[in-house]
Each structure stands twice: as structure tokens, then as C-alpha cells.
Amino acid sequence: MFDYIAYVTRQIQSANRIPALITAAFVGLELTERAATVLLENAPEEAVDAYRSALTEATHAWWALSHAPSLAWPDDPDADYVAPHELAVALRDLVHVVTDALHGVAAQSIAQADRTACLIAASHAVRIHEALSRPNGLGSSSKESDA
């Protein structure tokens, strides 16, 4: 998680436009919520209230930011438009990179639990890749839905 925190921090610090900064901050708040969830699940008794407050505030923060008009989401008419097919292709390519990374870790790790987790995640990622590679880009093709 430290690498992801560092990555999101760099994204926020390098954002040079308001939509990019708001979007990076939103991702940072989502990460904060996930990290606070982990903290709460593993908290010693004396820290439970503090971590619960952090989780609640992180949730409220990203929800509040989600209403910012400059938040750059694909369905935002003011944001840079990306056609669904282009997004599906980019996502498919990302999933391919993730799958390769998971296979690499599984091949190199000496910890059985790591290998198993990576291989299970990779098998799901392969199915994501397959879904995004179907003729109509996402989901089942019309031939499959007619069957």
C-alpha cells in the first residue's frame, strides 16, 4: 500500500490543471478510505475510535468531492471525452500488464500463499481481458445473448 500512497501523492503533486488535481485528490481520498478500513480491521482497542473516525471522514470527503463540477469523469460532458471502445481497449491493455505482473510474482515468490493469491487474481484478470476482447468490446456479444 505504501507504493500506491506514494504514486497517488506524486499524481496529486504533479497535477497541473484543476480537473486533474481534483481527480487525483479524489483517488487519494478513496485510497485513504481503503487504508483506514485496513487500519480499523487491525486496530488495537485504544485506536478503534480514531480509525473509525478517519474512515467515516474519508468516506464523507470523497463523497463531497464527487459533487465537484470539475471532477474529470468520463460521463462528465466538460471532461475530455473518451469513446467507450477506447476506454475498453486501454483497460484491456492495463489488465494484460497486471496479469503479466501477477504471473511474474507467482513464478518468483517462495511463499505459497502469495503464489496462490497471485494466480487466483491472474485467473480473474484473464477473464476480464477476455470480456473486454469480445467483438462488441464489453460484455457478451449479441450472438451469445440470443442463445
Side-chain angles (χ1 to χ4, degrees), residues 88-137:
V89 168
L91 184 56
R92 185 188 64 210
D93 293 346
L94 171 63
V95 169
H96 181 68
V97 170
V98 169
T99 303
D100 286 348
L102 291 169
H103 283 139
V105 171
Q108 296 174 14
S109 180
I110 59 171
Q112 181 63 37
D114 284 345
R115 287 195 307 270
T116 300
C118 287
L119 291 173
I120 291 170
S123 70
H124 289 288
V126 166
R127 288 194 284 278
I128 295 167
H129 190 274
E130 289 169 353
L132 295 173
S133 297
R134 291 181 184 156
N136 62 349

Side-chain angles (χ1 to χ4, degrees), residues 70-95:
S70 295
L71 184 60
W73 292 118
D75 60 349
D76 180 354
D78 295 330
D80 295 333
Y81 177 76
V82 176
H85 177 72
E86 292 173 16
L87 182 58
V89 168
L91 184 56
R92 185 188 64 210
D93 293 346
L94 171 63
V95 169

Side-chain angles (χ1 to χ4, degrees), residues 44-62:
E45 189 62 36
E46 63 272 9
V48 168
D49 287 341
Y51 292 158
R52 184 176 293 123
S53 291
L55 174 59
T56 300
E57 292 304 325
T59 302
H60 291 310
W62 73 253

